[in-house]
Amino acid sequence: MSHQNIPSILKTLSDQQEALIKEKRKIEQMQFVVKNALLNMSMGLYHNPTDSTPQIDFFNKEHLLAVPHNEFSISQDDQDDEDRILISVLRKYKEICDTYNVQTDYQLGAIMSFDSKRITHLYSRVNKTYKNPLLSTKVCRKISV
């Protein structure tokens, strides 16, 4: 050990540790997306749309990231290009999630103003709570049949 370059070994180990942490976050993100896709598909599969009995279903608490629509940087050139708009939205969600170290399933929903019937926010589910005014917690969902 005395003939080896200890600072170089420490740097290599530190770099490896950072790479593993980054890879772990990527895998956790993928697992979160798959888990929620499975949940949503299962709910759709077992929901009987021909049954006309109204019902309320309660689910586990969810954390939602609701971003005001004016937070998305969409240029005038991109206004008519749905793919570019979606890419802009997904980039904004990734930026926020990276900043606050949260995961999202990237399944988007919209919040509309009752009066103007215009979209005010886009939201997506995140895996945990954090301190940010864009976060809200939804305790239950109402499903009317």
Side-chain angles (χ1 to χ4, degrees):
M1 192 79 165
S2 62
H3 297 0
Q4 298 191 12
N5 184 349
I6 300 298
S8 175
I9 293 171
L10 290 174
K11 171 79 170 105
T12 301
L13 289 173
S14 178
D15 290 347
Q16 284 296 315
Q17 182 179 18
E18 283 186 37
L20 288 171
I21 289 170
K22 189 175 182 179
E23 193 64 26
K24 179 182 172 192
R25 283 189 190 133
K26 283 173 54 177
I27 290 171
E28 287 171 345
Q29 170 64 40
M30 288 186 283
Q31 190 272 335
F32 186 72
V33 170
V34 170
K35 179 182 85 171
N36 285 309
L38 179 63
L39 173 71
N40 290 337
M41 290 181 77
S42 296
M43 283 177 22
L45 183 63
Y46 297 113
H47 179 69
N48 184 358
T50 60
D51 182 5
S52 61
T53 306
Q55 64 187 32
I56 297 176
D57 291 337
F58 291 91
F59 298 90
N60 292 331
K61 179 169 45 172
E62 294 179 329
H63 305 292
L64 303 177
L65 174 61
V67 181
H69 79 283
N70 59 356
E71 292 275 328
F72 301 104
S73 56
I74 300 169
S75 71
Q76 286 296 104
D77 297 336
D78 294 343
Q79 291 292 328
D80 296 326
D81 188 337
E82 291 180 7
D83 291 339
R84 287 183 184 220
I85 292 171
L86 180 60
I87 289 169
S88 174
V89 168
L90 295 177
R91 281 187 180 145
K92 183 65 175 179
Y93 273 92
K94 181 168 179 8
E95 173 190 316
I96 293 169
C97 289
D98 288 349
T99 300
Y100 293 97
N101 194 26
V102 295
Q103 299 162 351
T104 181
D105 61 7
Y106 294 104
Q107 295 182 32
L108 299 175
I111 299 172
M112 298 182 73
S113 166
F114 183 73
D115 299 333
S116 68
K117 303 212 183 327
R118 299 188 76 175
I119 293 174
T120 60
H121 293 73
L122 292 178
Y123 69 88
S124 184
R125 187 174 20 219
V126 292
N127 66 326
K128 62 184 178 182
T129 188
Y130 62 98
K131 296 219 181 283
N132 184 297
L134 300 175
L135 178 81
S136 67
T137 301
K138 182 171 73 171
V139 179
C140 67
R141 259 192 249 180
K142 179 179 179 181
I143 297 179
S144 299
V145 178

